[in-house]
Each structure stands twice: as structure tokens, then as C-alpha cells.
Amino acid sequence: MTRQDGGQTGAGGGQNIPAIVGQEIIAGSEVPPPIVGQAPSQIDVQSELARILATITSVNDIRAQIIRLGLNPSLRFAVETEVVPVLNILTALATAADFYSVAAFNMSNINFAKSHEIRKTLELIYDITDLSEDVFEVVKKLTLATLPKAPY
């Protein structure tokens, strides 16, 4: 039970000092700075522990509600750490092949372009395409292994 002056009666006996999170004061008004020569205020440990326990309980309740929604956080984490990086590699390879194909096309339209340079660029595109097929197989296997409810 709290008194009107902010202190507590009962077992704690100390003054209830509001907790400050960032710039927001959770309860009460600002705590005045300590006066020089005066003993610092005592913190009511029991009420602070009760407040922390209430916060942890509310976080656990939110977590339980998210789980009840059917969203699987561990599955999302697995997809983000296993599948997405390989998909990013596949995307980068596809983009590189696209840019090299534009470069080969542009070089073929230049009258003084060397044909062996165009051929090198086309061979590079074919190599990237072969590598992309291998990466796609890895993505396919990772996806099937990560998603247990896959239709395959």
C-alpha cells in the first residue's frame, strides 16, 4: 500500500522511486537530484522486482499469443538464415548475367569491337548460367528441407 507522499507502508518501508526508461518516467514525477551531504534515497526492491516480473509476464503473454496465431518464429528464422542468403546469391548471379548480356549486345553493335571480346563475355554469361542452375538446385533442396509442409 502506498502513502500519499510516495512512500510505502508495510514490509518495504522505503520510498517508491519511479523507474526511468529512456526519457520517459514510468510512475510519478521526476526524481529530484540528491542534495549534497544527504543520504541517497532507498529503492523499494520488492516493488521493483514486482514491476520487472509484470513486464516479463506481459512479454511472455505476447509471445504466447504470437505462437497461437500460427506463425512459427523458428521457421521464419530458419528461412532467413538458410534460404534467403542463397536466394540473394542467385539474384546477384542473374543480375550479373543480365548486365553482361547487355554489354555483349552493345559490343556487337560497335563496328570496331573485337569479336573475341564479345565471345569472352558470352562465355562468361554461359558460366554464370551454369553456376546459377547449381545454386537454384541448392535453393530448392534448402527450401524443401526447411519447410516441412512443402507440397513435394
Side-chain angles (χ1 to χ4, degrees), residues 78-141:
V79 168
E80 287 177 355
T81 58
E82 298 290 329
V83 178
V84 171
V86 182
L87 278 175
N88 290 340
I89 291 171
L90 187 61
T91 303
L93 288 172
T95 304
D98 184 40
F99 286 146
Y100 283 127
S101 67
V102 170
F105 177 76
N106 288 338
M107 288 189 329
S108 69
N109 289 331
I110 299 173
N111 290 335
F112 55 88
K114 299 177 183 177
S115 63
H116 71 278
E117 292 296 326
I118 299 171
R119 198 172 315 121
K120 281 183 185 177
T121 306
L122 291 174
E123 288 174 5
L124 183 60
I125 293 169
Y126 292 134
D127 291 341
I128 290 174
T129 304
D130 291 339
L131 183 60
S132 296
E133 290 173 359
D134 295 339
V135 172
F136 179 73
E137 288 300 318
V138 172
V139 167
K140 186 175 169 183
K141 289 178 183 178

Side-chain angles (χ1 to χ4, degrees), residues 26-47:
I26 300 299
S29 60
E30 280 192 41
V31 177
I35 300 173
V36 179
Q38 186 179 18
S41 300
Q42 293 182 352
I43 297 175
D44 186 8
V45 176
Q46 292 292 354
S47 66

Side-chain angles (χ1 to χ4, degrees), residues 50-66:
R51 186 183 61 80
I52 291 170
L53 180 63
T55 303
I56 291 173
T57 304
S58 64
V59 168
N60 283 336
D61 289 343
I62 292 170
R63 182 177 168 271
Q65 290 173 5
I66 289 173

Side-chain angles (χ1 to χ4, degrees), residues 1-18 42-44 47:
M1 179 178 226
T2 59
R3 298 185 311 227
Q4 285 185 343
D5 63 352
Q8 287 195 350
T9 61
Q15 183 179 3
N16 187 8
I17 297 176
Q42 293 182 352
I43 297 175
D44 186 8
S47 66

